[in-house]
Amino acid sequence: MLGLKLPTDPRWVNIVEKNIEDILTDHAFCEQKAASTAISLIVSFPEYTELVQEMTALVKEEISHFKMVHDKIIERGWTLGRDRRDDYVIELLKFFPKGGSRTTQLVHRLLYAALIEARSCERFRLLSEELQDKELAKFYRNLMVSEANHYTMFLGFARKYGEKKEVDAKWQELLVYESEIMSNLGKKETIHG
C-alpha cells in the first residue's frame, strides 16, 4: 500500500529495543515537526481553504501524538531529551530543486510530507509487530493507522493541486530516491535513521 521501494531491515528493531529512551525522544520530536509542517503549510498557502482546514486538524492530532509520546517518556521516569539532526529528512529535501511556481513548491512539500508519513507508518508497523515490549507495540499499532491516513491525505492533495500524471511520475522518482537514502540508514535509534 505504501509503495516504499526498500523495506526497513527488521534488525532495526533490535537497535530500538536497546535504545527505547532515544527512540521515544526522537519520535516525540518527529510529532512536533509534523505539527510544525502543517502550520507552515497553513502560513505559506492560506488560499487553499481545504488544505488549511485539514492542516488545522492535523496540527491538533500531531500535537496530541507528541503529548502521548511525551507521556510515555515520563511514565518510564525519563525526561524529553534534546532534538537531534534528522539525516533522513535532510537528504530527502535535496531531491527537489529550490524555486518554481507556488503550485510546484506546494506539490513538492506535499510529496515530502507524504513520504515521511509513509516511512513512519512502515516503521511503526514494524515496531508494533516486533517489539518485545507489548505495551509499546500496541502504542505503535495505534499510531500506524494515523500515519497511513496522513500519507494518503498528503499524496491526495499533491494530486489535487498538481497535474496528476506529473505528480505520479515525481512520486515514483521520489520513492526510488528515498530507497537509496534508506540503504544507508536504518542503523540508528531514530524513527527514520
Side-chain angles (χ1 to χ4, degrees), residues 159-171:
R159 288 173 172 150
K160 177 178 181 166
Y161 298 133
E163 196 280 303
K164 188 178 180 318
K165 272 173 87 171
E166 188 178 307
V167 168
D168 287 344
K170 279 289 177 204
W171 176 245

Side-chain angles (χ1 to χ4, degrees), residues 97-141:
K98 300 223 182 285
S101 71
R102 280 180 54 72
T103 302
T104 298
Q105 291 173 34
L106 172 60
V107 168
H108 290 177
R109 287 174 67 180
L110 291 167
L111 289 175
Y112 289 133
L115 188 49
I116 291 167
E117 296 286 352
R119 182 57 72 182
S120 297
C121 179
E122 187 253 2
R123 289 274 171 111
F124 290 175
R125 180 196 55 76
L126 193 58
L127 292 173
S128 75
E129 293 172 354
E130 302 293 333
L131 276 176
Q132 297 300 309
D133 182 325
K134 294 307 168 200
E135 182 215 352
L136 267 187
K138 183 178 177 191
F139 178 69
Y140 279 107
R141 165 70 67 201

Side-chain angles (χ1 to χ4, degrees), residues 38 41-42 45 47-58 102-114 149-164 167-168 171:
L41 285 167
I42 292 167
F45 303 98
E47 68 273 25
Y48 293 91
T49 302
E50 185 183 0
L51 179 69
V52 169
Q53 290 176 316
E54 289 295 327
M55 291 304 102
T56 301
L58 186 61
R102 280 180 54 72
T103 302
T104 298
Q105 291 173 34
L106 172 60
V107 168
H108 290 177
R109 287 174 67 180
L110 291 167
L111 289 175
Y112 289 133
N149 290 334
H150 300 164
Y151 145 72
T152 57
M153 176 188 62
F154 281 120
L155 192 54
F157 275 129
R159 288 173 172 150
K160 177 178 181 166
Y161 298 133
E163 196 280 303
K164 188 178 180 318
V167 168
D168 287 344
W171 176 245

Side-chain angles (χ1 to χ4, degrees), residues 58-126:
L58 186 61
V59 170
K60 292 178 186 175
E61 185 178 348
E62 298 290 17
I63 269 311
S64 77
H65 290 173
F66 171 84
K67 182 179 179 346
M68 290 164 56
V69 178
H70 189 237
D71 288 348
K72 290 275 176 226
I73 291 168
I74 294 167
E75 285 168 15
R76 291 166 184 256
W78 302 324
T79 57
L80 180 63
R82 295 190 57 101
D83 188 18
R84 287 178 246 151
R85 164 188 159 108
D86 191 332
D87 293 327
Y88 173 80
V89 172
I90 290 167
E91 289 304 312
L92 206 55
L93 290 173
K94 294 177 182 175
F95 179 76
F96 288 114
K98 300 223 182 285
S101 71
R102 280 180 54 72
T103 302
T104 298
Q105 291 173 34
L106 172 60
V107 168
H108 290 177
R109 287 174 67 180
L110 291 167
L111 289 175
Y112 289 133
L115 188 49
I116 291 167
E117 296 286 352
R119 182 57 72 182
S120 297
C121 179
E122 187 253 2
R123 289 274 171 111
F124 290 175
R125 180 196 55 76
L126 193 58

